[in-house]
């Protein structure tokens, strides 16, 4: 049975990545086996949930297929439970399912095991929704999107220094960009190397702060991006624009921008994966005798041969008239369901003709 990972984490399906991370931290802190309130079974369950919905790509697959899709062993990359617990106790940098577990649990429990955590700060990921017409999703389109977010300061280029002024060596970290802390935890004394909060890991500070951004290295402004929507994209799928998310200040890396598409329905066509389904109504004589009829396709009007003796609800497959495979070759099929209309009322003359045909049919 499919698991409801959102329910396990206590969040709604539309929760942001920040909300998911916050919910996971709270539950992991409560149920971690090293805590008095620990519950290993519950801890495994919330970890499994977060490794799926906390990763953008796996979350998309889960939302589409449920928890039955290939999860690569639950922990990602073939990691076992002992390896996972070692990572959460500071036994080395570790990434599970695209999520840095060492970072999550290091922040939570205050350990580092001597491991450097001097990585560049990363800005927040941003999600925007885009409405598409059915045909735009099928054939692709280029759209421009505009949004207001934290961007790198144009004046100082993100270093926080007033243009023309110089940078000096940071006094707190002596130009190393990192400082070392020794912290007492429930696991004993732990040594941790962290990013210097004064220079944000740059090793240098501005002699004079940028007037435009106040030394933050970022400003809130409007951005415009042209987004190429690939042919064949489906409802609910997303496009990632790397580095187009929010900036997080001096010494940071920008997050990513996710464009989630929402496709409007079409009165003529119904999509299923890469196939298109349509219906056409024909008369009883046409079904008996056969003929050519005109039908609607994604390519416009086309002729369809109805063979003699066609049955109602019979399907005809038209190759390469479906949806293009996104980022691939070929197209799906168009499945045409033929429905034979039987009149409820017929004229006296028609009744006589049908009566004469009884012995022939």
């Amino acid at each position: 049975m499919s698991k409801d990972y959102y329910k396990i984490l206590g969040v709604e399906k539309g929760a942001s990545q920040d909300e998911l991370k916050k919910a996971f931290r709270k539950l992991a802190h409560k149920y971690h086996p090293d805590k008095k309130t620990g519950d290993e079974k519950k801890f495994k369950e919330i970890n499994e949930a977060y490794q799926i919905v906390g990763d953008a790509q796996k979350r998309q697959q889960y939302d589409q297929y449920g928890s039955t899709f290939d999860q690569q062993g639950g922990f990602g990359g073939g990691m076992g439970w002992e390896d996972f617990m070692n990572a959460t106790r500071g036994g080395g940098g570790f990434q599970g399912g695209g999520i840095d577990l060492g970072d999550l649990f290091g922040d939570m429990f205050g350990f580092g095991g001597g491991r450097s955590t001097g990585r560049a700060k990363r800005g927040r990921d941003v999600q925007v929704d885009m409405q598409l017409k059915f045909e735009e999703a099928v054939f692709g389109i280029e759209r421009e999107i505009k949004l207001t977010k934290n961007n790198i300061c144009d004046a100082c280029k993100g270093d926080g220094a007033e243009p023309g002024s110089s940078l000096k060596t940071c006094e707190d970290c002596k130009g190393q960009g990192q400082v070392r802390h020794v912290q007492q935890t429930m696991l004993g004394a732990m040594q941790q190397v962290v990013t210097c909060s004064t220079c944000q890991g740059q090793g240098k500070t501005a002699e004079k702060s940028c007037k435009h951004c106040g030394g933050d290295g970022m400003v809130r402004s409007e951005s415009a991006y042209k987004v190429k929507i690939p042919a064949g994209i489906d409802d609910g799928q997303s496009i990632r624009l790397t580095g187009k998310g929010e900036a997080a200040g001096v010494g940071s890396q920008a997050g990513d921008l996710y464009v989630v598409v929402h496709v409007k329905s079409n009165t003529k066509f119904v999509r299923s994966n890469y196939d298109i389904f349509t219906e056409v109504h024909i008369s009883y004589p046409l079904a008996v005798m056969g003929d050519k009829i005109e039908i609607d396709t994604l390519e416009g009007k086309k002729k369809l041969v109805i063979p003699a003796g066609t049955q109602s609800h019979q399907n005809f497959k038209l190759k390469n008239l479906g949806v293009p495979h996104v980022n691939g070759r070929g197209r799906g099929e168009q499945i045409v369901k033929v429905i034979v209309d039987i009149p409820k009322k017929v004229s006296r003359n028609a009744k006589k003709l049908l009566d004469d045909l009884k012995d022939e049919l």
Side-chain angles (χ1 to χ4, degrees):
M1 182 179 292
S2 180
K3 297 180 182 179
D4 189 340
Y5 289 143
Y6 296 107
K7 186 176 181 180
I8 290 172
L9 293 174
V11 297
E12 297 295 327
K13 187 175 181 180
S16 66
Q17 292 297 324
D18 285 342
E19 290 172 332
L20 288 169
K21 188 174 182 178
K22 184 178 180 180
F24 173 67
R25 283 174 180 269
K26 182 179 179 180
L27 292 172
H29 190 274
K30 179 179 180 180
Y31 294 111
H32 193 283
D34 291 340
K35 305 283 287 186
K36 290 183 179 180
T37 56
D39 184 330
E40 183 170 306
K41 183 178 179 181
K42 186 71 175 178
F43 188 71
K44 283 184 178 182
E45 188 179 47
I46 61 173
N47 167 66
E48 178 184 342
Y50 184 67
Q51 286 198 57
I52 300 303
V53 298
D55 179 270
Q57 185 176 357
K58 286 189 175 182
R59 182 180 184 178
Q60 181 178 318
Q61 292 176 295
Y62 169 72
D63 287 344
Q64 186 172 1
Y65 302 111
S67 62
T68 55
F69 76 95
D70 181 15
Q71 298 170 19
Q72 297 183 344
F75 295 103
M79 174 178 64
W81 177 247
E82 292 301 322
D83 296 323
F84 169 74
M85 289 305 300
N86 184 48
T88 69
R89 293 182 173 116
F94 187 85
Q95 288 213 349
I99 303 164
D100 194 330
L101 300 173
D103 176 56
L104 275 173
F105 288 96
D107 291 345
M108 190 183 304
F109 298 110
F111 48 64
R115 179 173 64 90
S116 170
T117 59
R119 295 172 302 163
K121 185 167 57 174
R122 188 175 185 276
R124 186 174 66 90
D125 290 339
V126 178
Q127 177 180 308
V128 296
D129 296 306
M130 179 182 290
Q131 293 285 340
L132 294 178
K133 294 179 181 178
F134 188 85
E135 292 79 4
E136 290 174 337
V138 170
F139 297 110
I141 194 173
E142 185 174 88
R143 285 275 194 87
E144 183 178 75
I145 58 173
K146 294 182 179 180
L147 68 157
T148 300
K149 60 184 178 66
N150 291 329
N151 289 309
I152 293 175
C153 176
D154 291 331
C156 67
K157 307 304 179 186
D159 64 13
E162 179 67 17
S165 66
S166 59
L167 297 172
K168 61 180 181 180
T169 300
C170 177
E171 296 180 358
D172 288 350
C173 66
K174 310 304 179 186
Q176 298 300 307
Q178 300 174 342
V179 292
R180 191 179 301 273
H181 293 300
V182 177
Q183 189 173 7
Q184 294 295 327
T185 73
M186 59 185 177
L187 301 177
M190 293 292 176
Q191 184 173 269
Q192 187 177 28
V193 178
V194 299
T195 300
C196 176
S197 59
T198 303
C199 66
Q200 301 300 323
Q202 300 303 293
K204 295 180 181 295
T205 57
E207 287 189 340
K208 187 177 181 180
S209 297
C210 174
K211 295 178 181 178
H212 188 59
C213 66
D216 294 334
M218 63 178 180
V219 293
R220 195 152 187 86
S221 59
E222 185 179 76
S223 298
Y225 303 107
K226 286 187 177 180
V227 184
K228 289 186 177 180
I229 307 299
I233 196 166
D234 206 351
D235 183 67
Q237 291 185 327
S238 62
I239 299 168
R240 183 176 70 175
L241 303 181
T242 304
K244 302 301 183 183
E246 289 204 326
V250 176
S252 70
Q253 294 179 343
D256 296 334
L257 173 61
Y258 290 87
V259 181
V260 181
V261 302
H262 303 279
V263 184
K264 295 180 180 179
S265 59
N266 187 284
T267 56
K268 295 179 181 179
F269 309 108
V270 175
R271 176 176 175 174
S272 177
N273 203 2
Y274 292 108
D275 292 333
I276 293 293
F277 291 81
T278 59
E279 291 184 355
V280 62
H281 290 253
I282 63 173
S283 67
Y284 177 73
L286 195 152
V288 174
M289 303 296 292
D291 201 351
K292 289 183 179 180
I293 62 171
E294 196 174 63
I295 62 168
D296 291 309
T297 76
L298 294 172
E299 304 289 346
K301 299 287 186 179
K302 289 189 179 295
K303 295 289 185 180
L304 174 65
V305 176
I306 303 296
T310 294
Q311 302 297 304
S312 187
H313 291 75
Q314 187 172 336
N315 290 330
F316 294 88
K317 293 183 179 181
L318 306 178
K319 292 185 177 181
N320 297 319
L321 284 179
V323 179
H325 291 194
V326 65
N327 298 325
R329 296 180 179 179
R331 295 175 62 170
E333 300 176 332
Q334 178 171 344
I335 314 298
V336 182
K337 179 187 288 185
V338 174
I339 300 175
V340 180
D341 290 331
I342 307 297
K344 293 182 178 179
K345 294 182 179 180
V346 294
S347 66
R348 183 178 301 176
N349 186 47
K351 284 182 178 180
K352 184 178 183 305
L353 291 172
L354 290 171
D355 190 55
D356 291 341
L357 287 173
K358 281 183 179 178
D359 296 333
E360 298 293 334
L361 299 176

